[in-house]
Amino acid sequence: MKQNKIYSLIGIAMRGRNVVSGEFASQAAVKSGTAALVIVADNASENTKKLFSNKCSFYQVPYYVYGTKEELGHAMGKDLRSSLAVTDSGIAQAMIKQLEELETRR
């Protein structure tokens, strides 16, 4: 049930043009300071996960591994997406709250 909320929030952010997706665009958003949250797919390569983990740690951007490439892409209305960056802080905070709740249940 919480998964649907996260994917719904991704869709809302996408419609509001508050999401960038793909490795290069997400990296650029982190480096420029516009990213408020980064989500990387669970089935993304280990190099991609490590790259975003390091970048987000350095630039102090919240980072989560969640969903699959297919699910993230579907939530955005696109094809496969291994990473995305949310640029709206309000939506990012709502997503972080949902992601934290999922982590505490595990």
Side-chain angles (χ1 to χ4, degrees):
M1 187 151 146
K2 295 294 179 192
Q3 282 185 343
N4 293 339
K5 283 189 177 184
I6 294 166
Y7 295 134
S8 294
L9 287 167
I10 291 172
I12 289 168
M14 189 66 189
R15 285 189 292 280
R17 297 183 184 193
N18 294 312
V19 175
V20 294
S21 65
E23 192 170 329
F24 296 114
S26 297
Q27 261 188 346
V30 170
K31 287 180 182 178
S32 69
T34 58
L37 168 68
V38 171
I39 298 177
V40 176
D42 191 39
N43 59 347
S45 73
E46 292 302 316
N47 286 342
T48 300
K49 291 179 189 177
K50 186 176 188 300
L51 171 88
F52 279 105
S53 176
N54 292 341
K55 290 267 186 233
C56 290
S57 176
F58 182 79
Y59 288 98
Q60 298 179 343
V61 175
Y63 161 82
Y64 290 90
V65 175
Y66 180 78
T68 64
K69 293 178 183 181
E70 294 81 11
E71 292 167 341
L72 292 179
H74 181 72
M76 297 180 69
K78 297 188 182 269
D79 289 333
L80 305 177
R81 291 292 187 259
S82 61
S83 62
L84 62 89
V86 180
T87 58
D88 181 83
S89 59
I91 294 172
Q93 287 302 317
M95 292 173 76
I96 290 169
K97 181 181 174 193
Q98 297 298 320
L99 290 162
E100 293 288 332
E101 285 180 20
L102 282 174
E103 284 186 356
T104 57
R105 289 184 189 174
R106 291 182 184 177

